[in-house]
Amino acid sequence: MDAVMGFTTPEKPVDVAELFPALAGLARTTVRLHPQRGVTTAYESSLGGPLLWPADEAWPVCTIDHPDDRPLRSAEGQKLERRLAELRAAVDARTTALVEPSLYREYEAVEACIREARRGEYASDPAARLPMVAVAQVYARDVPELPFPEGTDVCQVLWCPTDHEPDYAPRVDVRWRNATTVTAVATAPEPDREHSEDGYLPASCRITPERVVELPDWDDLPSDELREQITAWEKDREWSYGRHLSVAPGTKIGGWVAWEQNAFWPECDQGHRMDHLLTAATSECGYDAWQAWMPLETRARTSFGKRVRFTMVDGCTSHTMIGLDEEFDPATFTMLGRAVVAESVTEAVIPLDSAEPDGLGLMIGDVGDLYIFVCLTCPDRPTAVELQCG
Ligand SMILES: [Zn+2]
Ligand SMILES: [Zn+2]
């Protein structure tokens, strides 16, 4: 068996909660999962690994409106698809201002009919449905912080690995089980690689849970006044509240959300604000935040270089990479024949390993995250997702 590596997030260089009393009471603990590629069993916690799924329970398949480039089988369905193609061509041929509203109305109506026909075909032909893929399985013994409903001790997260209306995200299915009730274990079907998004098929990883105390994302701070105070404090300092001192990036359970874009806390159908359950991330750390969030053990085996940013005489900005022990000399450096403005040069040390080859291997949006939320008030634990590009 491979040695399991430990993961230790560095101590924060500054305790901002001490500097800003308005942050008091806003600290939350998240569980970073530190996915590390490897084979796991159904009896362990994992990301992208086998699930403890009862042999006598059907594997979940998706029959909801995801893109499917296979033509509909019925003559009526094919007629609708031809009409949609005609309408699309008609819309494309005009400028937006000239498209009559009736064209859009018919387009939407035909689309709705096609969705309905596709659902009918999924219902009558199981082979046409997309099998969901295992994303996470977490036992209570490893992460007791999960909101396990009474009598359950394993949380399983699956998703349909393609984009769905209206969120353009994988459709998520979260199951809570009692492990002792599962005797014979099912084997998961192979994912349908032809109709799945490659970037939504996680590699099998072990997890190494690590508890980290976080503060709210910039967007989740309680007031503009506090944001202004923090901005003033950040001036001329190397640490940024948002990138280094607040919320942990990467794949994690609970705690705050490290929004890639604007904060968006969903509500369940009953109007309850939902809580963060799990973030599945493309990148565990990111270039500009590695000092704060790259685990010490990962840092020890990562190569670093210097990223030099500069402005050129024509006003364009660019950058180049040099070795840690190299010096950048603007006087001798040109790019496409253009000289560098010496005063504009800034340097930063960043990790050279651009990908994280030993991790989940996801590509969510453009190096983004998928956030999964759960309602802790409703007993059936409804969930919601939000996908944000990096
Ligand atoms: Zn689907
Ligand atoms: Zn609810």
Side-chain angles (χ1 to χ4, degrees), residues 62-64 66 130 160 162 164 171:
C62 184
T63 61
I64 304 290
H66 51 237
L130 216 46
C160 173
T162 183
H164 298 73
R171 191 167 72 86

Side-chain angles (χ1 to χ4, degrees), residues 128-196:
R129 304 167 192 164
L130 216 46
M132 299 189 102
V133 298
V135 175
Q137 168 166 282
V138 183
Y139 283 88
R141 60 174 186 264
D142 294 319
V143 186
E145 294 92 337
L146 275 165
F148 288 99
E150 186 74 33
T152 68
D153 60 1
V154 56
C155 174
Q156 298 172 329
V157 179
L158 304 94
W159 68 35
C160 173
T162 183
D163 289 318
H164 298 73
E165 305 266 9
D167 306 310
Y168 295 99
R171 191 167 72 86
V172 169
D173 190 349
V174 177
R175 307 288 181 101
W176 306 90
R177 291 186 191 282
N178 181 323
T180 61
T181 63
V182 183
T183 45
V185 178
T187 307
E190 276 297 307
D192 181 337
R193 294 185 182 273
E194 196 182 335
H195 296 101
S196 301

Side-chain angles (χ1 to χ4, degrees), residues 238-251:
E238 63 178 311
W239 302 108
S240 141
Y241 176 85
R243 285 205 306 281
H244 305 119
L245 306 175
S246 52
V247 59
T251 303

Side-chain angles (χ1 to χ4, degrees), residues 79-120:
K79 202 171 130 194
L80 287 164
E81 285 177 330
R82 280 196 298 276
R83 182 64 189 144
L84 191 74
E86 286 167 14
L87 290 165
R88 190 176 295 134
V91 170
D92 287 349
R94 295 157 209 230
T95 64
T96 313
L98 293 176
V99 175
E100 306 90 50
S102 63
L103 206 57
Y104 277 128
R105 277 200 296 274
E106 188 185 354
Y107 191 95
E108 282 172 6
V110 173
E111 264 193 335
C113 291
I114 288 175
R115 271 202 294 274
E116 199 55 45
R118 181 75 67 191
R119 283 181 204 165

